[in-house]
């Protein structure tokens, strides 16, 4: 496993694998400083956390705790960031696995790799984050290598069914419609991501500007300029504009934001 923090040495290693990157809670906290979640997703996460805090009550009432969460939606809307956020809130390490790399680099051994990853999460409490989840969990009948993939999906289903203990499984995909139904059904918590609303854009722009000096209040008009952009695009454009301000030795202006937008030329989603 790749390590991003020395404290990882306390974690048991997945045998002979380099399939995952581990982030300790402190690093997760640093990454999620500027997270903006829409009301619905914030509520879903808060409830998820509240339930985990009330473990005894759930055991007493014989109601199973949720431990499998799936996020779907377009690129740059905060799915990966949310996995860091969950790990930070639970004060657990985040074990990030990109499922597409497992298939490409370990052809024929994919099922065994999935087992190793789940074994690791069983032995060591963590947020197990399976990114690019559709790489494996696509519907079984739209794949040429049907038999091989079907075996892999079966292994995934089995691992998900047996998944219990302290760890939490989090998965993310851009392609919810293509996920295998049996896999989809096994998640107890689902979150949809979308391009930010005007209100969320303004909030995010405010967070990104932070204490940087500006000419006037920018977020309202900036949000209109950046309408249809993902959070990831907004971040890049605001950073670009800040660089311009530094070069020009000025406070941040709407003109710099507008130029940064034009130069960055994001793929804008007209339906927002
Ligand atoms: N909801 C958000 N709040 C704050 N920042 C965000 C949000 N979404 C995206 N960002 C910014 O954009 C970057 C990329 O976002 P992230 O990796 O979470 O997107 P994603 O939804 O996982 O995209 P992909 O589908 O391409 O994997 C983040 O590191 C963060 O800087
Ligand atoms: Mg992602």
């Amino acid at each position: 496993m790749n390590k991003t923090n020395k404290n990882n040495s306390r974690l048991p290693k997945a045998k002979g694998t380099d399939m995952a990157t581990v982030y300790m809670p402190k690093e997760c906290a640093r990454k999620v400083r500027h997270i903006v979640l829409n009301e619905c997703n914030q509520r879903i996460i808060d409830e998820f956390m509240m339930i985990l805090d009330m473990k005894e009550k759930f055991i007493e009432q014989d109601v199973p705790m949720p431990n499998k969460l799936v996020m779907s939606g377009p690129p740059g809307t905060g799915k990966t960031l949310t996995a860091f956020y969950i790990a930070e809130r639970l004060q657990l390490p985040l074990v990030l696995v990109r499922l597409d790399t497992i298939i490409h680099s370990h052809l024929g051994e994919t099922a065994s790799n999935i087992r190793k990853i789940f074994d690791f999460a069983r032995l060591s409490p963590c947020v197990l984050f399976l990114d690019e989840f559709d790489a494996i969990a696509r519907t079984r009948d739209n794949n040429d290598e049907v038999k091989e993939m079907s075996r892999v999906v079966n292994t995934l289903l089995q691992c998900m069914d047996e998944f219990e203990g302290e760890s939490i499984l989090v998965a993310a995909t851009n392609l919810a419609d293509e996920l295998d139904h049996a896999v989809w059904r096994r998640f107890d918590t689902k979150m949809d991501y979308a391009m930010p609303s005007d209100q969320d854009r303004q909030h995010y722009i405010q967070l990104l500007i932070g204490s940087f000096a500006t000419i006037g209040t920018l977020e309202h008009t900036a949000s209109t300029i950046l309408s249809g952009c993902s959070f990831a695009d907004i971040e890049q454009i605001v950073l670009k504009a800040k660089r311009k301000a530094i070069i020009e030795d000025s406070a941040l202006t709407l003109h710099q934001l507008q130029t940064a937008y034009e130069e960055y030329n994001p793929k804008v989603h007209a339906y927002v």
Side-chain angles (χ1 to χ4, degrees), residues 33-36 202-210 242:
R33 270 176 317 167
H34 294 152
I35 192 166
V36 176
Q202 286 195 41
H203 182 193
Y204 190 48
I205 292 166
Q206 233 171 9
L207 290 174
L208 291 173
I209 292 177
K242 275 183 169 180

Side-chain angles (χ1 to χ4, degrees), residues 31 34-37 73-82 129 131-132 172-174 193 204 230-233 235:
K31 281 183 183 285
H34 294 152
I35 192 166
V36 176
L37 290 169
T77 50
K79 300 180 297 296
T80 298
L81 201 62
T82 302
F129 176 40
D131 210 357
E132 313 297 335
T173 177
N174 297 136
Y193 283 71
Y204 190 48
S230 69
F231 285 99
D233 289 337
E235 182 183 35

